[in-house]
Amino acid sequence: MNLESEELNMGKIPEWIYAPTNFSPELEKMFAAVEKALGFKLFIWQKTFIANTTYRRSGRTTAEILRDLLNVSKPPLDYTKPVADHMERIYREETREIKAKLDAAGIPTRTVFFTGQEKQKYYREAETGQQKKNIIPEFTPEYGKRIWL
């Protein structure tokens, strides 16, 4: 696969990085003055972090999901129990979407149970020896390299 910047859209800066904010007029004036003094625009997450000490669109959830999914030597993730809140539902939906994309690209991912049927099938296949291992050999300890996740 050729990973040129055009294919990954790295040549274009997404508009949301500089998205408008809804802070007080005083804070907006302060940010404008800071940007003028520094000579560059602040990203939306920088402004939000300064104003609120947190920011939701930094990519942390994606990184956490990738860490979980790419750690294929770990036991399956079990998401068969009902979600506790709205954020857990969103996390599971994102996990499902990212896993589907990685699987479609042929990237080995950790087993995830989204339904009871998936869980039952997995353990049924494990009992009969039909369970295929989803491990990348070059990342396992027996090949002399430590697990990277």
Side-chain angles (χ1 to χ4, degrees):
M1 175 167 56
N2 187 2
L3 297 179
E4 298 205 10
S5 62
E6 290 177 6
E7 292 177 29
L8 296 175
N9 294 321
M10 293 174 72
K12 293 174 62 178
I13 297 175
E15 291 180 28
W16 67 265
I17 287 178
Y18 297 112
T21 55
N22 290 322
F23 299 125
S24 68
E26 297 82 22
L27 196 52
E28 293 290 355
K29 284 181 188 176
M30 190 264 305
F31 284 136
V34 168
E35 289 173 337
K36 185 175 181 182
L38 295 176
F40 58 85
K41 291 179 73 171
L42 295 171
F43 299 132
I44 186 172
W45 64 83
Q46 291 170 313
K47 293 178 181 179
T48 306
F49 182 80
I50 292 165
N52 301 325
T53 69
T54 188
Y55 182 69
R56 287 282 318 140
R57 292 170 57 185
S58 64
R60 180 178 175 184
T61 300
T62 300
E64 288 174 356
I65 290 169
L66 287 170
R67 182 185 58 207
D68 286 343
L69 290 176
L70 295 175
N71 200 346
V72 296
S73 61
K74 293 268 186 163
L77 292 168
D78 188 351
Y79 290 156
T80 59
K81 294 185 174 83
V83 295
D85 57 33
H86 175 69
M87 292 308 296
E88 188 176 350
R89 184 184 55 75
I90 291 171
Y91 189 90
R92 288 184 186 187
E93 288 172 1
E94 286 296 311
T95 300
R96 183 189 302 266
E97 185 177 318
I98 290 170
K99 180 173 175 40
K101 289 178 180 179
L102 294 175
D103 290 346
I107 299 170
T109 59
R110 187 173 177 184
T111 300
V112 181
F113 307 134
F114 292 104
T115 66
Q117 292 85 357
E118 293 170 340
K119 186 175 179 179
Q120 290 172 355
K121 179 182 177 206
Y122 176 88
Y123 287 112
R124 203 171 36 251
E125 289 176 356
E127 287 177 4
T128 62
Q130 296 173 339
Q131 189 58 243
K132 64 178 182 176
K133 297 232 179 206
N134 201 12
I135 296 175
I136 305 171
E138 62 266 24
F139 294 121
T140 56
E142 61 266 20
Y143 284 86
K145 294 186 181 178
R146 64 174 224 233
I147 295 179
W148 55 286
L149 295 173

